[in-house]
Amino acid sequence: MFRLLIFAVLVLALGYGFSWLADRPGDLSLVWGGELYQTKLIVAAAILIALIAAAMVVWWFIRLIWTSPQSVTRYFRARKRDRGYQALSTGLIAAGAGNALLARKMAARTRGLIRADQEPLINLLEAQAALIEGKHDEARQKFELMANDPETRELGLRGLYLEAKRLGAHEAARQYAEKAADKAPYLPWAAQATMEYRSQAGDWDEAIKLLDQQKIARVIDKDTANRQRAVLLTARANDKLEGDPSGARDDALAALKLSPDFVPAALTAAKALFREDKVRKAASILEQVWKTGANPEIGKAYVRARSGDSVGDRLKRAERLESIRPNNVEALLITAKAALDARDFAKARAKAEAAARIDAREGAFLLLADIEEAETGDQGRVRHWMAQALRAPRDPAWVADGFISDKWLPLSPITSRLDAFEWKAPFGQLEGPVEEGTAVSVDAALRSLPPVREAVSATTATKSASPTVASPAAGASVIELEQIVTRPAPAASAAKFEPAKEPEPRPFFGGAPDDPGVKDPKFEPEPKTRLKLF
């Protein structure tokens, strides 16, 4: 565009010059060799311009002849280079597609057309072909060559890191990742791997330093950087909790500033404040996190904030949590547990049933079983609630990569991924309504709950433990097990041993052997209305 503009300006200048000369006619006289040459001024200008143009054409032709050998050499060299890059491109595509034979062929052709010191991608093509063929030693040699070249150092280090990971050489992989992270902290894979290795070793300071470098290089966004920094600070606070409570408190509070709803940071901060006898501040922190998201660990720490509190005081603290988040499953369950400890069975049962109606899950039914065990001791009702718990969805827990942990961890024990643990139901939740998890099933479970049975005395329990089944010839009826268990206990005065009475003889009415005789309704056996056990 700039050249076109210059050309237009020159054409306009020439036109303006010729028009200016045409408006000012005149003659040009030249005496040369004793001869007088005279012509018009505009003709003389045209001849001058034509001579200049002719000189330029002659100079271009002479220059073209003079530089023709170099031009021809450069042409063939460029053509050879283009063929080499075409072969290199075809080889890389073949390597990506898994065609090792074509990749090897194109690599050999590329080496014949382009020198390896001029194009380092030839080593990459040969390394990829070796990996496809399973020649890992050759591939590592190519990656080492690339690692020694400043232009391909990062690519070579990544290849060596992946090979070390494949062989299980974690120490070598760590060294390659740290070297790449030191040279180029903007590499996501190197920084992430180095951070994971430093976190596994418990070197939280170096991990935080590397995270800051990533944030400055803008490798990760601000929100992700704040979240990971909160995780690292919480992990460092957990390590300091026993020996340095004040340091643990500072790190946990700094993590809460970065991520206000981070439950592990709130728990660590509260524990550190409890050790410093700052119960009120710790309770305030727990209440703030409880408002953002109800977590049973927050509720448990809040209810048991003071070790010397009575069960009544704990119940009041649980009711305060419930008032902060009413109609919440976790709040109802915490209140029900506190009421159970306080022996307030009516309130415990009401809260547990309300929680089961909102979210019918395993913990709610297990709590109902505990309430039944403590209040009535009826094993039939306890087994009823246990059966409901077996069919109900599981309670949320700390889950990372399919691993369930009883406490939060900064790294996944499966993949060593940072901030992998989530508070959710294990193994996911089924989509759509689940028959066992609806409020209708809870109501049905309450309707099908067996009535409370009376206590069974020791004498009855001994008799029911070893029942005696009489033979049919003796005329004794079969006793059902259910009736033995539910039979009320005899009074203390009637607990004495009484000998069994002889059966009253049945009269014979003197008929013939084949005559059944007259049947007396008095001695007619009772109709069978139940099934026999044997």
Side-chain angles (χ1 to χ4, degrees), residues 315-355:
L315 178 58
K316 291 180 180 179
R317 297 178 71 86
E319 290 175 344
R320 173 170 173 76
L321 286 181
E322 185 182 356
S323 65
I324 295 175
R325 298 203 63 172
N327 297 327
N328 181 268
V329 179
E330 303 296 346
L332 290 171
L333 290 177
I334 290 173
T335 305
K337 291 177 182 177
L340 176 60
D341 294 338
R343 311 294 291 180
D344 190 349
F345 299 118
K347 180 178 290 188
R349 189 183 298 275
K351 298 296 182 181
E353 290 177 0

Side-chain angles (χ1 to χ4, degrees), residues 30 76 93 121 214 289 310 314 331-332 410 514:
L30 177 63
F76 284 107
I93 294 174
L121 287 179
Q214 283 186 289
V289 179
S310 63
R314 292 177 182 176
L332 290 171
D514 56 348

Side-chain angles (χ1 to χ4, degrees), residues 259-322:
S259 183
D261 59 344
F262 194 36
V263 174
L267 289 173
T268 304
K271 291 177 182 178
L273 291 171
F274 288 154
R275 292 174 182 270
E276 297 176 348
D277 294 333
K278 298 179 180 179
V279 180
R280 182 172 298 179
K281 186 176 181 180
S284 176
I285 292 174
L286 294 176
E287 287 180 1
Q288 294 298 324
V289 179
W290 178 264
K291 292 177 182 179
T292 59
N295 188 285
E297 295 186 355
I298 295 290
K300 183 178 178 181
Y302 184 84
V303 170
R304 299 181 178 273
R306 294 186 180 91
S307 59
D309 285 350
S310 63
V311 291
D313 294 335
R314 292 177 182 176
L315 178 58
K316 291 180 180 179
R317 297 178 71 86
E319 290 175 344
R320 173 170 173 76
L321 286 181
E322 185 182 356

Side-chain angles (χ1 to χ4, degrees), residues 274-526:
F274 288 154
R275 292 174 182 270
E276 297 176 348
D277 294 333
K278 298 179 180 179
V279 180
R280 182 172 298 179
K281 186 176 181 180
S284 176
I285 292 174
L286 294 176
E287 287 180 1
Q288 294 298 324
V289 179
W290 178 264
K291 292 177 182 179
T292 59
N295 188 285
E297 295 186 355
I298 295 290
K300 183 178 178 181
Y302 184 84
V303 170
R304 299 181 178 273
R306 294 186 180 91
S307 59
D309 285 350
S310 63
V311 291
D313 294 335
R314 292 177 182 176
L315 178 58
K316 291 180 180 179
R317 297 178 71 86
E319 290 175 344
R320 173 170 173 76
L321 286 181
E322 185 182 356
S323 65
I324 295 175
R325 298 203 63 172
N327 297 327
N328 181 268
V329 179
E330 303 296 346
L332 290 171
L333 290 177
I334 290 173
T335 305
K337 291 177 182 177
L340 176 60
D341 294 338
R343 311 294 291 180
D344 190 349
F345 299 118
K347 180 178 290 188
R349 189 183 298 275
K351 298 296 182 181
E353 290 177 0
R357 285 189 173 90
I358 297 175
D359 185 8
R361 64 192 193 198
E362 182 183 16
F365 292 116
L366 290 177
L367 181 57
L368 284 170
D370 292 338
I371 296 171
E372 204 67 57
E373 176 78 21
E375 183 179 9
T376 64
D378 192 331
Q379 295 301 316
R381 296 168 69 94
V382 172
R383 287 195 297 269
H384 174 79
W385 290 122
M386 295 290 287
Q388 299 297 325
L390 287 175
R391 296 194 298 268
R394 299 188 63 180
D395 292 339
W398 291 112
V399 182
D401 301 321
F403 178 81
I404 305 174
S405 177
D406 56 349
K407 62 179 181 179
W408 176 83
L409 297 174
L411 297 175
S412 170
I414 306 299
T415 59
S416 300
R417 183 164 54 94
L418 185 67
D419 192 22
F421 276 91
E422 297 177 299
W423 182 260
K424 63 180 183 179
F427 313 116
Q429 292 288 346
L430 296 176
E431 297 182 358
V434 182
E435 182 180 356
E436 292 83 6
T438 59
V440 177
S441 65
V442 176
D443 294 335
L446 290 172
R447 288 194 300 269
S448 61
L449 184 66
V452 180
R453 298 171 182 175
E454 299 180 6
V456 181
S457 64
T459 306
T460 308
T462 306
K463 292 181 180 180
S464 62
S466 58
T468 304
V469 181
S471 62
S477 59
V478 179
I479 303 175
E480 289 185 2
L481 182 61
E482 186 69 19
Q483 291 181 354
I484 294 175
V485 176
T486 59
R487 181 179 301 170
S493 59
K496 299 180 181 180
F497 175 77
E498 295 181 1
K501 297 181 179 180
E502 293 292 335
E504 187 175 353
R506 183 174 182 178
F508 178 69
F509 293 94
D514 56 348
D515 185 8
V518 181
K519 297 182 179 179
D520 190 350
K522 180 180 179 181
F523 301 96
E524 191 68 14
E526 296 179 0

